[in-house]
Amino acid sequence: MDKQVVAKPFHRILLTGAAGGLGKILREKLKDWTDILRVSDLADLGAAQEGEEVVQCDLADKAAVMDLVKDVELILHFGGISVEASFEDIMRANIQGTYNIYEAAHHHKVRRVIFASSNHTIGFYKTTDFIDATMPPRPDGIYGVSKCFGESLSRYYYDRVGIETVCVRIGSAFPAPANRRMLTTYLSYDDLVELLRCAAFTPRVGYTIVFGVSDNREKWWSNHAASHLGYEPKDSSDKFAHLFPDTGRYPDADDVGSTYQGGGFILSGPQYKP
């Protein structure tokens, strides 16, 4: 008896930034959603695997991005620089690149984008603050500013032409927390994939900002404004808490990196002055 072929929800999905840390994880995880996963990066992605199309692309090249987005139904935009860098570099990769993605999405009538934003859009809130997506951005560096630009740009393209976007303010998505701050910002890979699944398959998302974080004991962020996504994290940083015992000195008023939610990014920006 022939094996029944089950239709996948999408025919073609685009993943930008596929050579990055999270892009490598998602390159494997997204294939259950789509017949063809088009993966793209400026860096070498190697040969196309089964069910893939590989396109090396500079996101700052508008014509190349126009070709990249052709025949795509959903974009997961993870491309760009993910650390603090010079304005000139971030301008090209994160600002020009994100604008090109949305222009191409509009041109090719892509109806939904999932934008990899960052917790560094709100890094200058203090660790004693509890915030939600309705509160004003407070970026902690030029990288954070570029993600604020992406969030505002996606709002504009929703209001102007109806492209839906879920902006995922990713916390710390790693196999395990690397420091005590990450006990609060930790996002497991499984929870990341589940959050992206909610962002992709919720019937109507409009314009949504959601914090990408697991169900950690200590919380800085509320996702009540994104409750329509139905995201329920299953993992927690609690199992790693023994690695970073509470000294009773956190946050330390004399330590800028532990006073603000952005952590070390507060100190790493080229514009920073003590």
Side-chain angles (χ1 to χ4, degrees), residues 199-264:
F201 293 106
T202 297
R204 290 287 298 171
V205 298
Y207 173 78
T208 298
I209 294 174
V210 61
F211 291 96
V213 66
S214 289
D215 187 22
N216 307 322
R217 182 178 305 171
E218 185 173 0
K219 302 181 190 301
W220 293 336
W221 311 321
S222 167
N223 269 331
H224 74 88
S227 59
H228 54 282
L229 296 180
Y231 170 58
E232 296 183 1
K234 300 296 191 295
D235 294 324
S236 170
S237 66
D238 290 358
K239 61 185 176 183
F240 303 107
H242 67 283
L243 300 175
F244 309 101
D246 188 353
T247 64
R249 297 183 62 252
Y250 182 86
D252 186 338
D254 296 325
D255 180 358
V256 174
S258 66
T259 299
Y260 295 96
Q261 294 186 13

Side-chain angles (χ1 to χ4, degrees), residues 121-186:
T121 57
I122 43 83
F124 259 115
Y125 281 97
K126 292 188 175 182
T127 55
T128 51
D129 293 330
F130 186 66
I131 67 172
D132 63 31
T134 68
M135 297 176 72
R138 295 183 67 177
D140 55 31
I142 298 302
Y143 166 69
V145 168
S146 75
K147 292 299 183 179
C148 291
F149 170 83
E151 291 184 357
S152 293
L153 187 75
S154 61
R155 171 88 254 186
Y156 166 76
Y157 274 88
Y158 175 64
D159 289 339
R160 176 68 70 179
V161 297
I163 298 174
E164 293 191 304
T165 293
V166 177
C167 299
V168 183
R169 287 179 174 172
I170 298 170
S172 302
F174 296 99
N179 52 50
R180 192 173 186 279
R181 171 183 176 272
M182 289 188 187
L183 292 178
T184 306
T185 60
Y186 174 69

Side-chain angles (χ1 to χ4, degrees), residues 33-234:
W33 301 1
T34 185
D35 297 321
I36 302 169
L37 179 63
R38 181 176 292 169
V39 293
S40 177
D41 206 294
L42 186 59
D44 183 15
L45 288 163
Q49 303 170 18
E50 183 177 357
E52 282 187 347
E53 295 172 343
V54 171
V55 181
Q56 194 167 15
C57 181
D58 180 354
L59 294 177
D61 183 336
K62 187 174 182 179
V65 174
M66 280 290 176
D67 290 339
L68 177 67
V69 173
K70 185 178 180 181
D71 298 325
V72 163
E73 296 169 81
L74 172 70
I75 300 172
L76 284 84
H77 181 38
F78 278 69
I81 294 173
S82 61
V83 295
E84 191 67 351
S86 70
F87 174 78
E88 290 74 16
D89 288 343
I90 286 177
M91 172 69 185
R92 181 176 176 84
N94 294 17
I95 295 178
Q96 183 69 56
T98 300
Y99 170 77
N100 288 343
I101 285 288
Y102 274 92
E103 271 293 280
H106 175 41
H107 179 80
H108 291 294
K109 297 181 172 55
V110 180
R111 303 317 306 163
R112 186 171 300 187
V113 177
I114 300 173
F115 173 59
S117 188
S118 171
N119 69 92
H120 295 290
T121 57
I122 43 83
F124 259 115
Y125 281 97
K126 292 188 175 182
T127 55
T128 51
D129 293 330
F130 186 66
I131 67 172
D132 63 31
T134 68
M135 297 176 72
R138 295 183 67 177
D140 55 31
I142 298 302
Y143 166 69
V145 168
S146 75
K147 292 299 183 179
C148 291
F149 170 83
E151 291 184 357
S152 293
L153 187 75
S154 61
R155 171 88 254 186
Y156 166 76
Y157 274 88
Y158 175 64
D159 289 339
R160 176 68 70 179
V161 297
I163 298 174
E164 293 191 304
T165 293
V166 177
C167 299
V168 183
R169 287 179 174 172
I170 298 170
S172 302
F174 296 99
N179 52 50
R180 192 173 186 279
R181 171 183 176 272
M182 289 188 187
L183 292 178
T184 306
T185 60
Y186 174 69
L187 174 65
S188 73
Y189 291 153
D190 285 347
D191 281 343
L192 170 63
V193 173
E194 171 60 13
L195 176 50
L196 297 179
R197 187 194 67 79
C198 292
F201 293 106
T202 297
R204 290 287 298 171
V205 298
Y207 173 78
T208 298
I209 294 174
V210 61
F211 291 96
V213 66
S214 289
D215 187 22
N216 307 322
R217 182 178 305 171
E218 185 173 0
K219 302 181 190 301
W220 293 336
W221 311 321
S222 167
N223 269 331
H224 74 88
S227 59
H228 54 282
L229 296 180
Y231 170 58
E232 296 183 1
K234 300 296 191 295

